[in-house]
Amino acid sequence: SRSIQELERRTGIKLFDRAQGRVEPTDLGSVFLAQARDLLGHAEALDREVATLRGTGTGRLVVGSGTFPTAIFMADALAAFLGHNPRVSVRVVNENWVGLIAGLRRREFELVVAAPPAPDEATDLETINLSQHQGRFLVRPGHPLTSRPAITLADVAAYPLVCTNRLTADTTAALLAARAGRGSNGPIPDVACESHGMMRRIVDSTDHVLVSVIAANARAIVAGELVVLPLVDPRIGAKFAVIRLRERTLPPIVDALVDAVIAADRAATEAERLLLAGRSPAKPPKPAGAARRRDP
């Protein structure tokens, strides 16, 4: 109470309403709180950067990871990085690329691994492109589409689709056009979430179709838990990049993390290539949260 009274005395504004044991911010108080949170966030970021810049083997990093990079290679990348830098503290935030880029611009992250924005929207960003992944459609064993000799995009789009909330413009347009050809104008995707594990659980027990990439589902495909439909459409795809603020100086330890991300992405892409060639990779990428230690 004394702190609130001192704030109101300094600002000359009533910041909170007090009634029946409750304290609620006034309209001006809400503005004050929002500004205060921003200031505290910047102060935390400054403390983090100072601690990290003191050396190459200690400090704290906050990394943004998109839905599919998280499912494909980020766990392996972080395991490799931390194997060589065990004293570095890392916090990973999983979200779609739109939210991550906004957070990067607020300096909440040192770097983001996600789908890059369009070039005209990224003049303040520096990107290192990673592998391009062909989008595929995956279903449970016994799904009605698995018994058809040939399928079209319209056949797939007639079923409910499960995917991340933020598909590329080309992918969304292609799926909407295919669905419209069947006389439906339903949203794309029908089920949107940022947890690949949740997507899988839904597809395992329904006729929903998962819009994903081979590398994110290698273990389930090898185990026969998912079936990859034979349809390949070049408009359906995923592209990822390591993204940083162009004018922001980062400590050398960040370069080591970037190297680990690039190596893990390449390994996942190779596993994907082997699966598409009909050969099971010796060690399919583990799902996020079950990474093993290896050199970057």
Side-chain angles (χ1 to χ4, degrees), residues 132-137 152-154 157 167-179 211 231-239:
Q132 178 88 25
H133 295 270
Q134 172 63 50
R136 299 298 296 266
F137 302 102
T152 66
L153 192 60
L167 294 168
T168 66
D170 288 345
T171 296
T172 302
L175 291 171
L176 283 173
R179 181 165 284 182
V211 186
L231 176 67
V232 178
D233 190 310
R235 296 170 296 177
I236 313 297
K239 180 181 180 182

Side-chain angles (χ1 to χ4, degrees), residues 134-140 145-146 151-154 156-157 161-162 171 174-175 178 203 208-214 217 221 226-233 235-237:
Q134 172 63 50
R136 299 298 296 266
F137 302 102
L138 302 101
V139 296
R140 62 172 177 79
L145 286 173
T146 61
I151 58 173
T152 66
L153 192 60
V156 172
L161 302 176
V162 183
T171 296
L175 291 171
V203 171
H208 287 58
V209 177
L210 174 60
V211 186
S212 186
V213 298
I214 297 292
N217 302 278
I221 295 168
L226 279 179
V227 177
V228 184
L229 297 178
L231 176 67
V232 178
D233 190 310
R235 296 170 296 177
I236 313 297

Side-chain angles (χ1 to χ4, degrees), residues 242-274:
V242 179
I243 309 168
R244 301 186 280 194
L245 284 177
R246 190 178 298 279
E247 301 299 328
R248 184 180 181 186
T249 300
L250 295 176
I253 197 66
V254 173
D255 293 331
L257 177 56
V258 172
D259 289 342
V261 169
I262 292 171
D265 171 63
R266 288 174 178 169
T269 302
E270 175 62 12
E272 184 176 75
R273 185 189 68 79
L274 291 174

Side-chain angles (χ1 to χ4, degrees), residues 7-234:
L7 280 174
E8 291 180 331
R9 186 189 69 77
R10 290 189 181 189
T11 59
I13 299 171
K14 186 178 182 182
L15 299 174
F16 297 90
D17 287 324
R18 305 164 185 80
Q20 298 180 346
R22 297 175 59 189
V23 179
E24 298 288 344
T26 63
D27 290 343
L28 287 172
S30 295
V31 173
F32 180 88
L33 283 173
Q35 295 289 336
R37 289 191 184 102
D38 285 344
L39 287 172
L40 288 172
H42 287 302
E44 181 185 348
L46 178 59
D47 287 343
R48 191 170 68 244
E49 290 192 30
V50 169
T52 306
L53 284 166
R54 286 180 182 145
T56 60
T58 61
R60 180 170 180 245
L61 300 176
V62 183
V63 179
S65 178
T67 303
F68 286 116
T70 298
I72 298 171
F73 55 79
M74 281 300 290
D76 281 344
L78 286 167
F81 169 77
L82 292 171
H84 291 282
N85 302 278
R87 295 178 60 199
V88 176
S89 172
V90 179
R91 182 165 68 91
V92 181
V93 177
N94 303 124
E95 196 179 342
N96 64 63
W97 67 270
V98 174
L100 292 176
I101 296 299
L104 181 67
R105 288 185 166 123
R106 292 192 299 266
R107 297 190 171 225
E108 295 174 3
F109 311 117
E110 274 71 41
L111 61 85
V112 161
V113 182
D120 61 342
E121 299 175 2
T123 55
D124 59 333
L125 304 177
E126 176 184 304
T127 60
I128 301 172
N129 289 327
L130 300 173
S131 303
Q132 178 88 25
H133 295 270
Q134 172 63 50
R136 299 298 296 266
F137 302 102
L138 302 101
V139 296
R140 62 172 177 79
H143 189 283
L145 286 173
T146 61
S147 61
R148 296 191 185 184
I151 58 173
T152 66
L153 192 60
D155 294 330
V156 172
Y159 285 85
L161 302 176
V162 183
C163 194
T164 177
N165 189 49
R166 295 286 184 172
L167 294 168
T168 66
D170 288 345
T171 296
T172 302
L175 291 171
L176 283 173
R179 181 165 284 182
R182 289 293 185 93
S184 174
N185 294 311
I188 299 290
D190 300 87
V191 179
C193 70
E194 303 308 323
S195 166
H196 204 268
M198 184 180 294
M199 298 180 203
R200 280 282 319 280
R201 290 291 297 275
I202 293 169
V203 171
D204 283 345
S205 57
T206 68
D207 283 344
H208 287 58
V209 177
L210 174 60
V211 186
S212 186
V213 298
I214 297 292
N217 302 278
R219 296 177 68 86
I221 295 168
V222 171
E225 298 167 357
L226 279 179
V227 177
V228 184
L229 297 178
L231 176 67
V232 178
D233 190 310

